[in-house]
Amino acid sequence: ATLRRFSTGALKKTALFDFHANDLKAKMVPFAGYEMPVEYKELSGGVLKEHMQCRQKAALFDVSHMGQLKIRGRDRVEFINYLTVADLNQVPANSAVLSLIMMSHGGIKDDTIITKFEDHIGMVINAGCKDKDLEYLNHFLQEFRNKGKDVTIEHLEDRALLALQGPMAAGILQPLVEADLATTKFMQARYTQLKPLNEPVLVTRCGYTGEDGFEISIDPSKGVDLARLLLSTGGENLLPCGLGARDSLRLEAGMCLYGHDLEENITPIEASLLWTIPKTKRTNGGWIGADTVMQQIRDGTQKKRVGFIVQDGPSAREGVALYSGAEEVGKVSSGTFSPILKKGIGMAYVNSQHAKTGLEYEAKIRPNKSVQVKIEKMPFVPNNYYK
């Protein structure tokens, strides 16, 4: 898997670093400014095994490098509605949405999971974007406050976050928490007690794999205890998984990775993410980037994010150009091998007239080597969310 390494200077460590490196014998790599596990070869047999474990049983990922925020104050909904494509007035309490933090020119500052609670809003932002996101959000926070608005942002800086993913995830987690997971559907969240540790946790039924699963937020001092508890409860049905499998799983599920498939110069419409924008925001301006986005909804865009499958041969990786005859029609933004399809898959930005499903192009993977790729609908592998 190709993983961009945003790291500059000293690498940070999550609360589980020693547990990964010493107890689980993970191979650690720099990623988004952190030292993170890419695979647990000694324990799992490697990336391919970890990928299949998640699809067939259950997998445990440390995602504590992500940024966790709490937004409070009387005007919090107005603040988030202004900065993102979400309309939290339409979102019930204890529910989450995938959304986009927007820029004035219509570009995407970051993608984020936003959860609405009765008395606050939770946000999870990308690790590689944390610093720039916080600077950006705080700039608008100051503007809002200068107008007499009531909003605060708390960065839960070191809080641990574990992702338990796969068809057996609910069976492993349920005996450990007080909340009834059968009534917690996909993209719903619950504050509950982790019974064996008598510790409060936030459990959100979501993930980045296309499988059923949960993200569990816990005090950093209890992160390793939670991981041990889950692994012992799961037994042979649960394995720790690293960034390698996370990348191939999210690609099979058709999910974007910021810094690859999304950037500040890419708009939601170009990224084929119109579905993240509720109807109320497609016709009403007043939010950041609305003018550009509403115009593109009306008039279309020059380029579009599409999925592709390699027909035969090696994967087409990020940066590879796609050709129709001698004409370059697009570039790959993410590409890897799909263990389920046993073929190369990926995403690319192509000229809009070349974005139709079923069209075939040449991907020039080396100066003297091309493979045939076919535009396909995403997700490449059907998702298994609990709805």
Side-chain angles (χ1 to χ4, degrees), residues 30-307:
F31 179 75
Y34 282 79
E35 215 166 333
M36 294 296 290
V38 71
E39 64 175 344
Y40 301 84
K41 199 163 191 174
E42 271 190 46
L43 207 63
S44 67
V47 173
L48 190 65
K49 293 263 175 54
E50 290 173 21
H51 181 108
M52 296 309 287
Q53 176 78 18
C54 185
R55 289 274 178 255
Q56 293 166 351
K57 293 180 178 179
L60 185 64
F61 301 85
D62 178 14
V63 290
S64 309
H65 60 316
M66 307 284 275
Q68 299 180 68
L69 313 179
K70 262 188 185 178
I71 294 96
R72 296 186 181 88
R74 185 184 61 244
D75 301 303
R76 63 188 181 276
V77 168
E78 183 190 344
F79 179 68
I80 294 301
N81 282 356
Y82 177 65
L83 278 166
T84 72
V85 297
D87 181 0
L88 292 186
N89 296 313
Q90 311 289 319
V91 176
N94 303 313
S95 294
V97 290
L98 173 69
S99 196
L100 308 168
I101 301 170
M102 293 299 295
M103 303 180 75
S104 55
H105 66 278
I108 299 167
K109 191 79 179 172
D110 198 5
D111 57 318
T112 175
I113 297 280
I114 303 173
T115 312
K116 183 181 174 184
F117 297 101
E118 294 288 356
D119 62 350
H120 70 280
I121 294 163
M123 280 179 89
V124 176
I125 54 178
N126 280 303
C129 301
K130 261 195 299 202
D131 294 343
K132 69 163 189 163
D133 286 359
L134 282 164
E135 193 182 324
Y136 189 71
L137 293 171
N138 282 315
H139 165 79
F140 287 102
L141 180 72
Q142 217 43 61
E143 275 191 10
F144 256 63
R145 281 187 174 158
N146 292 346
K147 294 176 188 164
K149 303 278 188 185
D150 174 29
V151 188
T152 63
I153 298 173
E154 182 188 1
H155 179 204
L156 309 174
E157 199 150 357
D158 296 312
R159 198 165 167 83
L161 189 65
L162 295 183
L164 176 66
Q165 300 282 298
M168 294 186 180
I172 294 166
L173 185 59
Q174 183 59 86
L176 306 177
V177 293
E178 282 179 6
D180 179 8
L181 299 180
T183 61
T184 308
K185 307 289 188 192
F186 177 59
M187 296 303 269
Q188 290 182 338
R190 298 282 179 272
Y191 281 100
T192 185
Q193 281 295 113
L194 191 67
K195 292 187 288 192
L197 300 181
N198 194 27
E199 181 72 21
V201 289
L202 170 60
V203 172
T204 310
R205 199 158 198 160
C206 69
Y208 195 48
T209 62
E211 295 298 329
D212 184 24
F214 305 87
E215 292 191 352
I216 308 154
S217 177
I218 191 167
D219 185 274
S221 67
K222 298 288 194 297
V224 171
D225 293 342
L226 172 59
R228 285 190 197 282
L229 186 61
L230 290 167
L231 289 167
S232 65
T233 306
E236 63 181 21
N237 292 325
L238 181 61
L239 279 176
C241 289
L243 292 170
R246 195 167 160 79
D247 194 51
S248 52
L249 287 159
R250 69 92 190 170
L251 251 177
E252 285 185 344
M255 294 174 173
C256 296
L257 177 60
Y258 198 90
H260 300 251
D261 313 301
L262 303 176
E263 300 263 11
E264 291 188 358
N265 61 354
I266 290 170
T267 71
I269 310 308
E270 291 170 335
S272 303
L273 291 174
L274 176 62
W275 63 270
T276 63
I277 309 175
K279 289 197 169 70
T280 48
K281 302 221 23 191
R282 295 180 195 184
T283 47
N284 301 324
W287 47 280
I288 293 183
D291 293 350
T292 300
V293 170
M294 283 158 59
Q295 185 208 333
Q296 289 186 347
I297 290 172
R298 224 177 27 248
D299 304 336
T301 58
Q302 288 187 320
K303 63 178 179 181
K304 207 103 183 119
R305 179 177 65 94
V306 296

Side-chain angles (χ1 to χ4, degrees), residues 327-343:
E327 183 194 359
E328 185 179 321
V329 297
K331 264 202 168 59
V332 175
S333 56
S334 277
T336 195
F337 174 77
S338 161
I340 296 291
L341 301 182
K342 296 189 170 44
K343 287 181 174 181

Side-chain angles (χ1 to χ4, degrees), residues 309-331:
I309 295 179
V310 177
Q311 297 306 287
D312 191 25
S315 303
R317 303 286 179 172
E318 181 180 0
V320 164
L322 302 184
Y323 289 88
S324 174
E327 183 194 359
E328 185 179 321
V329 297
K331 264 202 168 59

